[in-house]
Amino acid sequence: MIQELDEKFLLSIQKIRNPFLNWIFICFTWSATGGVWWVVALSVNLINRFRLSFPPDFLNAFFAPLLVWGINFVLKKLIRRPRPAAANKDIIPLAKAPCFSFPSSHAGSTFAFFFILLWWDFPKAMPFCFWALIVSFSRMYLGVHFLTDIIGGILIGLLASGIIYLVF
């Protein structure tokens, strides 16, 4: 039943696709890839070394997405949920997606970053919520994740941010 609803939801999203939105959502998906997280985290820390300071909480917040990517790596290998295109031939992916589908690392990492900033009362946390929402939607728009993958990723993001909150 849930699988059927997941598939119907993605098929309905495919109906709004157009070249401009395709480009926008590919850019948002790209903005939350593991490589981009590493480059941004290293850049922010290097900038901080040159006395252009970022608050310590902002620097420590980069541990939350890293934890999500680690947790999700293990979960994807254990759960092995196929990507949407493998589950339903009518779902056409607009991006390549390695590995398995559940949970979404993009959704998890972006929401983990937002949640930890929110818990630490970072004054500019809300734009990261909007970014996380758009990145998460982009994964469904591009046909590489089901809604339940996104929800699972968000929950892992909440868990990871809670762990980082307790550690730091």
Side-chain angles (χ1 to χ4, degrees):
M1 168 112 177
I2 291 174
Q3 180 71 26
E4 190 177 309
L5 291 172
D6 264 344
E7 290 175 21
K8 284 182 180 181
F9 185 66
L10 285 189
L11 290 168
S12 69
I13 290 174
Q14 279 188 172
K15 293 176 184 174
I16 65 166
R17 287 179 175 172
N18 67 61
F20 178 71
L21 287 178
N22 295 354
W23 180 80
I24 293 291
F25 288 122
I26 286 170
C27 289
F28 272 98
T29 268
W30 178 84
S31 76
T33 58
V36 172
W37 276 114
W38 279 103
V39 169
V40 171
L42 289 172
S43 298
V44 165
N45 278 282
L46 282 173
I47 289 168
N48 203 49
R49 293 241 180 235
F50 292 106
R51 305 209 188 274
L52 300 171
S53 3
F54 287 92
D57 287 346
F58 187 76
L59 299 174
N60 291 336
F62 285 98
F63 286 107
L66 181 61
L67 183 56
V68 167
W69 286 91
I71 292 169
N72 283 2
F73 177 81
V74 172
L75 287 176
K76 285 181 183 203
K77 298 289 183 188
L78 292 173
I79 297 169
R80 305 177 67 83
R81 184 182 195 188
R83 293 282 177 173
N88 185 323
K89 292 178 227 155
D90 294 329
I91 298 171
I92 301 163
L94 296 181
K96 291 182 182 179
C99 189
F100 298 102
S101 192
F102 184 88
S104 169
S105 295
H106 283 77
S109 62
T110 54
F111 271 98
F113 194 72
F114 163 66
F115 288 141
I116 196 66
L117 293 176
L118 191 66
W119 287 7
W120 282 333
D121 292 324
F122 189 72
K124 294 180 175 82
M126 285 316 291
F128 291 101
C129 179
F130 296 116
W131 174 62
L133 286 167
I134 295 170
V135 166
S136 297
F137 180 78
S138 78
R139 303 303 288 160
M140 294 180 293
Y141 178 92
L142 297 174
V144 294
H145 276 296
F146 293 111
L147 177 59
T148 51
D149 299 336
I150 301 301
I151 293 167
I154 292 169
L155 292 174
I156 298 298
L158 183 60
L159 172 70
S161 65
I163 291 169
I164 297 300
Y165 181 77
L166 293 173
V167 169
F168 288 97

